[in-house]
């Protein structure tokens, strides 16, 4: 009888699982003995470590995403969101993308035999006044593109206005969260904005105010305390205001209030203070831990459940290199778990023994702008140009498909000979019908 594998989530884990099944189960797929369905709102996978470079204009945004329909020709791609999952009955309810907007809502019920549950994580927010209205995250390519256009638009506003308060607010950029996403996004965008100031005769880099807010006493814990301290010093030398052990208290009407009593206006507020499991977990009958993550075994199966697998940010996977602890929700683990999970799904379909996931932490790399970086790999500490090169080489080796590797390399090569573009398409992309509506307006 035919087996149906349902993959919830088209991120790194979901994509690699489908790729592994395509490669190792070709005969079964062609004969109809196996069917694969991937459910995700988007028909592409985003390689998130490259989002800061896409936001800074070092990479073309389309080159940091992988088209799922192209690389998964033998899988059924269903664009929508799972709204309910009953694994006991092997059924999932999917709200189809676009349904309910201009017509009736369409909910499709899918039956399956094997589940791969990997919808990923979402931004972890707090009930801070004004945050929901004025903040933006940094987890998607759309957010990266928006921030690039937004920062450049703020420079346009500052260069054009005669109002000093408006100018100061436009030139103030606040990032909350001192992890990878926050530090890399701030560093890359500040580097881009600094270059862009050369095209504004009445602006210079000293007019801008970049603020990094972190609740703990350090940033980038993944690279170690020494490299974290060096990064703080390096950012401060660039004029970036790094506030440790500080909380955001309010952001109402673009007025920032910090726990240390500081208040100022800012038109840009980026929230990167951690992630939490996808809310979809609450709409399933899968076992979860006290943090809302799906309980997993070392073999990446769902604990106590048959024919169900999980990995990535959504899963509490035991770290076999540190007994009693769990794997951190980062890209390094997700990349490696994806391959093991894919092989284990194949092994389960062939009634073979599953392999446990075990990965000793190799270290971390982070970009701090063009030609600047920090890294700690196998205990070796790197900073500056060498760390930046290591960051690029590592992620180039990890970005999926040869097509994307070549395109990313081409972008970097062209950047050696040409300056990056500093054109903002903000209003044009955010309100594409504005000009048409203006033309159609009756005087």
């Amino acid at each position: 009888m035919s087996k149906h594998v349902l993959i919830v989530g088209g991120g790194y884990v979901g994509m690699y699982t489908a790729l592994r099944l395509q490669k190792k189960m070709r005969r079964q797929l062609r004969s109809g003995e196996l069917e694969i369905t991937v459910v995700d709102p988007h028909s592409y996978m985003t390689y998130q470590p490259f989002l800061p470079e896409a936001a800074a204009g070092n990479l073309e945004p389309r080159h940091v995403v992988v088209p799922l329909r192209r690389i998964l020709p033998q899988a059924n791609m269903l664009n929508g969101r799972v709204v309910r999952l009953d694994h006991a009955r092997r059924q999932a309810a999917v709200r189809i993308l676009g349904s309910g907007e201009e017509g009736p809502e369409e909910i499709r019920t899918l039956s399956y035999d094997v589940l791969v549950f990997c919808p990923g994580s979402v931004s972890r927010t707090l009930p801070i006044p004004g945050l929901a209205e004025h903040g933006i995250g940094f987890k998607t390519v759309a957010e990266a593109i928006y921030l690039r256009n937004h920062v450049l638009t703020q420079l346009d506003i500052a260069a054009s206005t005669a109002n000093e308060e408006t100018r100061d607010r436009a030139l103030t950029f606040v990032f909350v969260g001192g992890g990878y996403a926050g530090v890399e996004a701030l560093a890359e965008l500040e580097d881009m904005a600094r270059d862009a100031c050369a095209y504004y005769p009445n602006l210079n880099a000293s007019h801008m105010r970049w603020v990094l807010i972190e609740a703990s006493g350090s940033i980038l814990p993944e690279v170690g305390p020494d490299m974290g301290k060096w990064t703080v010093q390096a950012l401060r030398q660039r004029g970036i205001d790094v506030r440790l052990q500080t909380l955001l208290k309010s952001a109402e009407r673009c007025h920032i209030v910090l726990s240390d009593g500081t208040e100022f206006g800012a038109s840009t507020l980026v929230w990167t203070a951690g992630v939490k499991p996808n809310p979809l977990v609450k709409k399933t009958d899968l076992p979860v831990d006290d943090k809302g993550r799906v309980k997993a075994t070392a073999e990446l199966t769902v604990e106590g459940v048959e024919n169900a697998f999980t990995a990535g940010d959504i899963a509490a996977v035991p770290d076999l290199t540190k007994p009693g602890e769990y794997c951190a929700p980062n890209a390094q683990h997700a990349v490696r778990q994806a391959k093991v999970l894919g092989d284990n799904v194949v092994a389960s379909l062939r009634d073979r023994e599953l392999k446990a996931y075990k990965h000793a932490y190799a270290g971390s790399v982070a970009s701090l702008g063009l030609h600047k970086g920090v890294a700690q790999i196998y205990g070796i500490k790197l900073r500056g140009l060498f760390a930046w090169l290591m960051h690029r080489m590592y992620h180039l080796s990890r970005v999926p498909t040869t097509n994307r590797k070549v395109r990313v390399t081409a972008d970097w090569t062209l950047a050696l000979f040409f300056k990056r573009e500093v054109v903002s398409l903000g209003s044009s992309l955010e309100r594409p019908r504005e000009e048409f509506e203006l033309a159609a307006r009756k005087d």
Side-chain angles (χ1 to χ4, degrees), residues 47 77 137 147 203 390-391:
Y47 188 70
M77 188 69 212
L147 274 173
L203 293 181
M390 186 63 68
H391 170 270

Side-chain angles (χ1 to χ4, degrees), residues 144-158:
I145 295 172
Y146 170 84
L147 274 173
R148 169 181 167 75
N149 288 323
H150 175 77
V151 169
L152 292 173
T153 297
Q154 297 312 301
L155 296 184
D156 289 338
I157 292 171

Side-chain angles (χ1 to χ4, degrees), residues 46-124:
T46 302
Y47 188 70
Q48 292 185 348
F50 276 156
L51 287 182
E53 291 210 51
N58 299 331
L59 291 176
E60 163 65 39
R62 288 174 296 180
H63 296 169
V64 304
V65 298
V66 179
L68 296 177
R69 294 185 184 276
R70 178 190 295 174
I71 67 169
L72 300 175
Q74 298 182 66
N76 302 317
M77 188 69 212
L78 192 62
N79 291 119
R81 293 185 183 277
V82 174
V83 294
R84 187 176 62 260
L85 192 145
D86 187 348
H87 186 67
R89 299 175 59 189
R90 304 295 194 271
Q91 288 187 342
V94 181
R95 179 185 290 117
I96 301 303
L97 183 67
S99 71
E101 295 179 1
E102 297 181 355
E105 185 177 62
E106 181 184 357
I107 303 291
R108 289 183 58 181
T109 300
L110 302 180
S111 297
Y112 63 87
D113 300 293
V114 178
L115 172 69
V116 178
F117 191 75
C118 48
S121 59
V122 298
S123 295
R124 176 172 55 84

